[in-house]
């Protein structure tokens, strides 16, 4: 069950890496970062009751936020140290 929860967290990264970059391009880095953080917070709050379906939904939502955050933060750090 633990491996399945970890997989649910990592799965959105497969589908959201490219759209996360497009989201950053379209709306700007700050808004994309906030969207990722909000998704991660919402996922954490969704897991609070502790029921199994909500645990899976919270992990998927949090993983989606983390995927967006990883893409946007990598681009931001690369821009900071470009020179």
């Amino acid at each position: 069950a633990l491996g399945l929860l970890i997989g649910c967290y990592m799965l959105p990264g497969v589908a959201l890496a490219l759209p996360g970059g497009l989201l950053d391009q379209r709306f700007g880095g700050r808004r994309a970062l906030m969207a990722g953080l909000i998704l991660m917070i919402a996922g954490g709050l969704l897991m609070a009751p502790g029921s199994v379906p909500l645990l899976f939904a919270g992990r998927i939502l949090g993983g989606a936020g983390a995927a967006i955050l990883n893409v946007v933060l990598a681009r931001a750090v690369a821009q900071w140290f470009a020179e």
Side-chain angles (χ1 to χ4, degrees), residues 5-80:
L5 283 174
I6 292 170
C8 283
Y9 186 76
M10 302 301 277
L11 183 64
V14 174
L16 289 177
L18 185 60
L22 295 173
L23 181 72
D24 178 29
Q25 248 181 355
R26 181 165 174 94
F27 297 109
R30 187 168 291 195
R31 287 185 180 157
L33 284 173
M34 290 304 293
L37 286 173
I38 288 170
L39 284 172
M40 290 184 74
I41 291 168
L45 291 175
L46 194 60
M47 290 188 297
S51 71
V52 174
L54 288 179
L55 284 174
F56 285 113
R59 292 294 286 181
I60 290 171
L61 200 60
I68 292 171
L69 217 60
N70 284 331
V71 170
V72 175
L73 283 176
R75 185 211 43 93
V77 170
Q79 281 184 344
W80 289 340

